[in-house]
């Protein structure tokens, strides 16, 4: 049985190396023209392993936690802190700000949008280990699951958007039928704006 576990572990390590190699070699050429973005990282984000005496989360705090959002790793109970829950007024203010920004985005060119997608892609591919580490601590996933389910999927979506979105979002003309042949019918794809999801 021990040899089976060692075999599975070895396969996972090899798969992880292959995924990292794929992300580096396949996706980085797509982001060469994008500017480099540097985001300062905290000590927690930089370290693969946390100190043994790192504080653990007391799940009893969740009982009456309506005004607080606790930040903790569900797989290890490592406790990263807490932030106050937003009030309805704070949420409305953020949504209003996002709506204002969306109006600017709505008028942006496809070249600008592609550049943003490629910039995000470049950041993620250059910081894939950090992105995976943060996803692991946020969700309790394994590193492999975070690389496949978060990093690789996000890179694929950004690549698709940068390469295909302009074509897919062009005006589409539709048949009007014989009774309305003097009319033109088309569908325009316009940004929807702020969308809330839980």
């Amino acid at each position: 049985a021990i040899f089976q576990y060692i075999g599975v572990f070895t396969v996972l390590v090899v798969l992880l190396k292959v995924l990292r190699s794929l992300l580096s070699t396949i996706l980085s050429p797509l982001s060469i023209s994008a500017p480099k973005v540097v985001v300062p990282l905290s000590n927690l984000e930089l370290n693969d392993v946390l100190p043994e005496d790192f504080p653990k989360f007391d799940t009893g705090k969740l009982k009456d936690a309506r005004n607080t959002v606790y930040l903790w790793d569900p797989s290890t109970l490592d406790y990263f802190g807490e932030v106050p829950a937003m009030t309805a007024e704070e949420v409305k203010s953020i949504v209003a700000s996002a709506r204002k920004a969306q109006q600017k985005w709505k008028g942006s060119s496809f070249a600008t949008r592609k550049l943003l997608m490629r910039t995000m892609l470049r950041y993620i591919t250059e910081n894939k280990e950090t992105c995976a580490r943060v996803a692991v601590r946020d969700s309790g996933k394994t590193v492999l699951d975070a690389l496949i389910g978060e990093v690789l999927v996000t890179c694929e979506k950004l690549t698709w958007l940068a390469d295909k979105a302009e074509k897919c979002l062009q005006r589409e003309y539709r048949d009007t039928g014989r009774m309305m042949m003097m009319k033109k019918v088309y569908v325009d794809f316009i940004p929807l704006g702020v969308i809330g999801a839980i």
Side-chain angles (χ1 to χ4, degrees), residues 53-68:
D53 61 342
F54 199 78
K56 298 297 181 188
F57 180 64
D58 174 13
T59 55
K61 289 183 173 184
L62 295 173
K63 242 182 184 173
D64 297 313
R66 291 179 171 230
N67 299 321
T68 306

Side-chain angles (χ1 to χ4, degrees), residues 49-56 78-79:
V49 180
L50 297 174
E52 285 190 30
D53 61 342
F54 199 78
K56 298 297 181 188
D78 289 329
Y79 179 57

Side-chain angles (χ1 to χ4, degrees), residues 41-153:
L41 301 175
S42 70
N43 287 336
L44 290 177
E45 293 166 327
L46 288 170
N47 295 324
D48 276 333
V49 180
L50 297 174
E52 285 190 30
D53 61 342
F54 199 78
K56 298 297 181 188
F57 180 64
D58 174 13
T59 55
K61 289 183 173 184
L62 295 173
K63 242 182 184 173
D64 297 313
R66 291 179 171 230
N67 299 321
T68 306
V69 177
Y70 296 102
L71 312 172
W72 52 288
D73 181 338
S75 65
T76 62
L77 295 181
D78 289 329
Y79 179 57
F80 302 110
E82 58 192 60
V83 293
M86 287 188 219
T87 64
E89 292 76 27
E90 288 172 315
V91 172
K92 286 178 186 174
S93 173
I94 289 170
V95 169
S97 176
R99 281 198 174 115
K100 194 174 179 183
Q102 187 273 335
Q103 289 304 312
K104 189 172 181 181
W105 176 254
K106 180 180 176 179
S108 66
S109 67
F110 280 109
T112 299
R113 296 176 191 188
K114 284 180 186 182
L115 181 62
L116 178 62
M117 298 305 132
R118 292 190 189 284
T119 302
M120 289 190 292
L121 179 61
R122 178 174 181 179
Y123 178 81
I124 293 170
T125 56
E126 290 176 353
N127 297 279
K128 56 194 163 294
E129 290 87 2
T130 301
C131 293
R133 186 181 311 117
V134 170
V136 165
R137 290 181 181 160
D138 183 55
S139 65
K141 293 181 175 190
T142 64
V143 174
L144 183 63
D145 193 21
L147 279 170
I148 293 172
E150 304 292 338
V151 176
L152 192 60
V153 169

